[in-house]
Amino acid sequence: MTLDADVVIVGDGPVGQTLAIMLAEKEWKVTLVDRWPEPYTMSRAVAFDSEAARILASIGLTEYINTQTEPSGRYSWQNAKEQTLLDIRGVSQGWCHWPDSTSMFQPALESALTARGARLPTLNVLRGHEVVDATDHGSYVEAGCIGPGGERREVSGRWLVGCDGANSFVRDRIGAAMHDLNFSRDWLICDVVLHEARTFDPNNLQICDPARPRTSASAGPGHRRWEFMRLDDETVEELDTEESAWRLLELFGVTPLNATLLRRAIYAFKSQWADRWRSGRMLIAGDAAHIMPPFAGQGMCSCLRDAANLSWKLDLALRGHGDDTVLDTYGTERARHVQHAIRMSVNLGRVICQLDPVAAADRDVAMTAARERGIGTGAPKAPVHPLHGGLLYRGGGARGDRLAGRLMPQAMVRRGNKIGLLDEVVGTGFVLLAGEDPRPFLGAPTLAYLKSLNVRVVSVGPADAPAEDDASVADTDRTYLPYLAREDARAVLIRPDFYIYGMIADSGEYLTLFDDLRQRLGAATAVSERLSTG
Ligand SMILES: Cc1cc2nc3c(=O)[nH]c(=O)nc-3n(C[C@H](O)[C@H](O)[C@H](O)COP(=O)(O)OP(=O)(O)OC[C@H]3O[C@@H](n4cnc5c(N)ncnc54)[C@H](O)[C@@H]3O)c2cc1C
């Protein structure tokens, strides 16, 4: 049977688009289906973190980030008396070199993703088609869609990924239930364009006022977001009016005379994750698999991590490397990882959403005391949590365990005359980064195996090293050699999603590391035929 695609993706939101691009960049044939004829024109997310920026840059969105976003800057919490409870000064170069937090207008991000996808010949976008049915036939999946004129159409692929948002149809189809932390609050979201630019300091402000918790946030160049929590004695209908929006915006000096209200909407900030991320040939990613309150700005970032994690495992499965059990590690890794982001967001929410004036006063005393002891100032604690379990090297004993699952930092390196970020200069995919030339320790069979996985073998030398060939870089930022030395690592194997598979402390361990990888991925089998793209 001739299939339409290697992978059918349901949902053309940020996670569906990102996953589609990652797969189509590897020349897999992707059909991306969305129920609406046109993309949604309003923002939900307003910011992404350093790791999300790295993911976006890796799929060709560097220019978008450089020209259409801005660093989010300072993030403060104040109480009702405007006393500072928390003051976080994000740095412009975070763990992945990009800012800790970047402000953006989500439709501009989605347009940039659409434009990137349009340049990939194996990516076919089918808008105006709602997926109403999906059947796993064992060796392929078939999705039934209803088109704009009510006509039915089938779309088939080897795999199907539901990136179909919070009310996911595919999630139901795979029989997943949602774990619920039962933290849910309604907030009125107001997206505003000010008629004249204004400086906000702090640029992002959380007012923890029990009379009305509220937020003022940067939302990308030329955009601002204000959010107001619904009170217990107020109905959704009362809060969700234009009049309420302007009345509340006036608290920040924003009126119809100086601003345009692009839209208002009430969102219920929920905290849930799916108990199953795969069934047979169907998987879920993004909001389909998890939802969290936006207080840590981690919702879409977690979605992008899903895409980064899933894309290389799907690529391996499609290429016929081992069996497809590698895909089970996707849900194992991501479900545990995302729970950290959800719990962190809920913990912040419980503090912010306090409506009891007595409890709020106690909170203010505790947070003020913490600030006096230096807690809650300076750079934010990175929300990036290590991976636990899943596809990680555990052969290195206590030392190896230390780095397995950590996000590899990104810095500038040089190869010959080219200076750039590690991902740009070296390229993405598996990277073996060593403080020595590892090739003499690998041997022909291992080198052949690494070639079959497209592992880039790179030795990093001092800043003034010539680094002229494809297998070396110079550590211009003086980041990587100190990092390896600090961790007592000879080399690290970086996965395509930038998490460390494992480290070795001794050159004699290279073969053990790769034997372990080979075992976990299953013996490399013949590369299967790609679907014809004609
Ligand atoms: C108020 C608010 C503020 C937020 N702020 C942040 C923030 O600052 N930072 C951050 O990282 N995250 C934030 N988030 C979270 C972020 O917006 C979401 O996590 C992200 O947009 C989800 O992307 P997605 O692609 O998974 O889903 P969606 O963007 O919802 O896309 C799903 C797509 O699937 C399509 N679809 C659904 N069902 C079908 C079907 N049956 N057939 C075909 N197509 C279908 C839909 O039309 C839609 O296009 C915020 C969320 C909210 C609500």
Side-chain angles (χ1 to χ4, degrees):
M1 174 178 178
T2 307
L3 301 178
D4 300 301
D6 293 299
V7 184
V8 174
I9 297 176
V10 185
D12 192 19
V15 63
Q17 291 178 305
T18 302
L19 181 63
I21 291 168
M22 287 171 165
L23 292 167
E25 278 184 336
K26 293 183 169 63
E27 295 178 14
W28 296 114
K29 207 175 168 197
V30 179
T31 299
L32 182 53
V33 190
D34 200 284
R35 59 153 66 113
W36 302 116
E38 300 295 333
Y40 189 49
T41 54
M42 295 298 162
S43 254
R44 280 150 303 142
V46 291
F48 52 77
D49 66 15
S50 191
E51 182 185 0
R54 182 180 192 174
I55 294 171
L56 293 172
S58 76
I59 55 167
L61 264 70
T62 299
E63 195 190 331
Y64 155 77
I65 301 173
N66 287 336
T67 58
Q68 295 187 56
T69 69
E70 56 198 11
S72 304
R74 203 170 144 200
Y75 178 37
S76 293
W77 291 18
Q78 292 176 357
N79 65 8
K81 294 179 195 150
E82 296 185 17
Q83 292 160 330
T84 302
L85 302 177
L86 189 76
D87 192 21
I88 295 171
R89 288 165 197 262
V91 295
S92 59
Q93 277 185 17
W95 189 248
C96 294
H97 196 86
W98 298 99
D100 277 330
S101 177
T102 294
S103 293
M104 55 121 196
F105 183 56
Q106 190 174 342
L109 167 65
E110 292 188 27
S111 296
L113 287 166
T114 301
R116 173 71 191 111
R119 294 198 297 275
L120 294 166
T122 60
L123 173 50
N124 172 32
V125 181
L126 193 60
R127 277 202 157 265
H129 284 73
E130 178 169 8
V131 174
V132 292
D133 197 11
T135 310
D136 186 340
H137 293 284
S139 58
Y140 69 97
V141 190
E142 204 166 25
C145 317
I146 304 295
E151 72 285 4
R152 189 180 166 102
R153 172 177 174 173
E154 308 298 323
V155 182
S156 57
R158 290 200 239 180
W159 298 94
L160 180 141
V161 187
C163 302
D164 48 344
N167 301 314
S168 171
F169 160 79
V170 180
R171 184 177 67 222
D172 288 346
R173 207 70 190 77
I174 68 171
M178 293 300 256
H179 287 288
D180 195 334
L181 291 186
N182 292 316
F183 174 90
S184 177
R185 302 285 187 277
D186 294 336
W187 282 67
L188 172 69
I189 306 302
C190 299
D191 284 334
V192 171
V193 171
L194 295 172
H195 297 162
E196 277 178 34
R198 206 194 291 177
T199 302
F200 292 87
D201 188 18
N203 204 18
N204 302 282
L205 178 62
Q206 199 75 63
I207 302 187
C208 305
D209 177 358
R212 173 80 72 187
R214 51 195 185 272
T215 311
S216 163
S218 52
H223 293 268
R224 292 287 305 177
R225 155 85 50 90
W226 277 275
E227 302 176 350
F228 305 93
M229 186 172 148
R230 183 175 69 77
L231 304 178
D232 287 342
D233 59 358
E234 198 172 34
T235 64
V236 168
E237 291 70 30
E238 281 165 350
L239 184 60
D240 190 15
T241 67
E242 181 122 352
E243 196 193 349
S244 296
W246 284 118
R247 178 173 47 79
L248 292 166
L249 284 167
E250 205 163 352
L251 293 169
F252 294 91
V254 177
T255 71
L257 295 176
N258 60 27
T260 301
L261 179 59
L262 281 188
R263 70 105 182 225
R264 52 155 229 285
I266 300 243
Y267 280 95
F269 294 164
K270 294 189 176 154
S271 45
Q272 301 175 340
W273 66 91
D275 64 358
R276 170 191 277 213
W277 295 49
R278 174 190 178 195
S279 170
R281 292 191 164 263
M282 293 197 252
L283 302 107
I284 50 172
D287 274 15
H290 46 78
I291 318 164
M292 68 191 80
F295 303 117
Q298 282 296 298
M300 189 186 73
C301 299
S302 302
C303 298
L304 296 178
R305 286 184 194 113
D306 295 346
N309 188 305
L310 180 56
S311 63
W312 66 270
K313 294 174 181 173
L314 269 174
D315 176 51
L316 285 180
L318 286 161
R319 282 200 280 148
H321 269 281
D323 55 34
D324 60 32
T325 50
V326 66
L327 288 170
D328 290 328
T329 67
Y330 157 68
T332 311
E333 291 177 359
R334 292 300 307 136
R336 188 154 171 194
H337 198 258
V338 81
Q339 283 172 50
H340 173 260
I342 295 174
R343 288 184 203 284
M344 178 175 64
S345 307
V346 167
N347 289 342
L348 296 179
R350 288 195 203 286
V351 180
I352 292 165
C353 302
Q354 183 54 260
L355 296 180
D356 175 349
V358 177
D362 288 349
R363 170 203 62 199
D364 295 353
V365 169
M367 289 186 74
T368 307
R371 244 179 88 67
E372 281 163 7
R373 292 201 310 275
I375 302 167
T377 55
K381 192 170 174 296
V384 182
H385 193 61
L387 295 177
H388 294 283
L391 199 57
L392 300 173
Y393 179 54
R394 294 297 181 203
R399 279 186 311 192
D401 272 8
R402 207 173 45 228
L403 286 190
R406 301 255 159 204
L407 180 65
M408 187 68 189
Q410 175 163 241
M412 302 294 273
V413 293
R414 179 178 51 75
R415 176 172 285 160
N417 293 326
K418 180 177 178 183
I419 296 183
L421 291 170
L422 181 79
D423 301 344
E424 294 163 0
V425 174
V426 167
T428 49
F430 276 107
V431 176
L432 175 67
L433 192 73
E436 61 192 353
D437 183 352
R439 287 170 298 184
F441 305 102
L442 296 174
T446 302
L447 281 169
Y449 177 61
L450 299 194
K451 199 165 172 215
S452 77
L453 279 180
N454 301 325
V455 179
R456 298 169 200 273
V457 178
V458 180
S459 67
V460 54
D464 58 358
E468 262 153 7
D469 62 74
D470 274 1
S472 54
V473 290
D475 190 15
T476 41
D477 264 357
R478 294 176 171 80
T479 296
Y480 292 111
L481 288 176
Y483 180 81
L484 294 175
R486 203 167 50 242
E487 301 296 347
D488 196 16
R490 263 324 233 260
V492 289
L493 179 61
I494 310 165
R495 310 187 328 173
D497 54 9
F498 313 122
Y499 284 81
I500 295 173
Y501 175 72
M503 62 162 261
I504 57 161
D506 189 282
S507 309
E509 292 174 49
Y510 282 110
L511 296 184
T512 323
L513 173 75
F514 289 112
D515 276 350
D516 177 85
L517 181 68
R518 193 196 308 248
Q519 232 170 34
R520 281 167 193 273
L521 296 184
T525 54
V527 173
S528 62
E529 287 292 308
R530 283 177 190 284
L531 287 172
S532 138
T533 55

